Amino acid sequence: MRKIIAQLFVSVDGVMEAPEDWHFPYYNEQMGEVVAAQFHESDILLLGRTTYEVFAASWPQRGSEVPLAERINTMPKLVASTTLDTVRWHNTTLLGGDVAAELTKLKEEPGNNITISGSPTLVRSLLREGVLDELQLLVHPIVLGRGRRLFDDDRQTPLRLIDSATFSTGVVHLTYQPALHP
């Protein structure tokens, strides 16, 4: 059975907005290997609308000289959105209606994992619905003080730590499962 795995860049204070402004000083080979492994162990990229729009505006213009560009551009992509009518990025399908139900069915089909990059609203929704199987946080050693946070509501979400690693740049890679996950 497939797993849905979210991999997100966050600051110590939980901000994940605009990682292009704060993430790169902490990027190194260790992080590159973890991010690449996530994409290569998955055969579908799942995105929320906002992240889709950012990715679709930038990734198609990147060539093979950019790590993961070919993989991201060619792999099937699903976009969860209640506001988009069409998607134009190659190999992309729009999910509408009951996204959790559609993804639950998809998880039962043969294939590799489904990876989520960014997309905090989608990640929170899938956690609430019990559809997200794993949450990987790459916690960067910086306090941003403002910006959109991964968890910006007051809901409790019990998680169980299943793995952790610290990179030489101070980034901590934490892997969680929802605590009620079978």
Side-chain angles (χ1 to χ4, degrees):
M1 186 162 144
R2 293 176 163 186
K3 293 193 302 185
I4 298 178
I5 301 172
Q7 188 178 73
L8 308 164
F9 300 149
V10 298
S11 66
V12 168
D13 56 340
V15 174
M16 59 175 298
E17 182 178 15
E20 64 277 6
D21 295 337
W22 50 266
H23 155 75
F24 289 105
Y26 303 100
Y27 186 86
N28 67 1
E29 187 175 319
Q30 291 170 297
M31 187 184 298
E33 289 172 3
V34 166
V35 171
Q38 179 65 15
F39 277 99
H40 290 295
E41 293 168 5
S42 302
D43 57 12
I44 295 174
L45 173 58
L46 174 60
L47 301 168
R49 180 197 49 85
T50 302
T51 304
Y52 164 76
E53 289 175 340
V54 170
F55 276 34
S58 61
W59 281 103
Q61 291 76 35
R62 297 177 183 173
S64 59
E65 72 282 355
V66 176
L68 292 177
E70 186 174 333
R71 178 74 180 135
I72 290 171
N73 283 318
T74 59
M75 72 189 306
K77 292 165 277 297
L78 299 174
V79 180
S81 174
T82 57
T83 58
L84 288 177
D85 294 323
T86 60
V87 287
R88 291 189 170 84
W89 191 8
H90 171 72
N91 219 7
T92 301
T93 303
L94 189 59
L95 289 177
D98 188 343
V99 171
E102 287 187 52
L103 292 172
T104 298
K105 287 182 205 169
L106 185 59
K107 286 171 55 170
E108 294 172 3
E109 294 178 7
N112 294 329
N113 294 333
I114 300 165
T115 189
I116 303 173
S117 187
S119 309
T121 302
L122 176 62
V123 169
R124 285 191 303 271
S125 170
L126 296 180
L127 268 171
R128 277 193 306 274
E129 297 289 331
V131 178
L132 188 72
D133 297 289
E134 197 171 288
L135 177 63
Q136 294 185 16
L137 301 178
L138 291 151
V139 182
H140 292 57
I142 185 170
V143 174
L144 295 169
R146 61 185 148 95
R148 188 166 183 206
R149 299 181 195 294
L150 174 57
F151 298 107
D152 60 359
D153 56 23
D154 60 358
R155 291 180 185 253
Q156 281 193 358
T157 306
L159 302 171
R160 182 167 40 104
L161 182 67
I162 58 172
D163 194 25
S164 66
T166 303
F167 303 152
S168 62
T169 59
V171 170
V172 179
H173 180 223
L174 302 168
T175 303
Y176 294 100
Q177 286 181 331
L180 302 176
H181 195 274

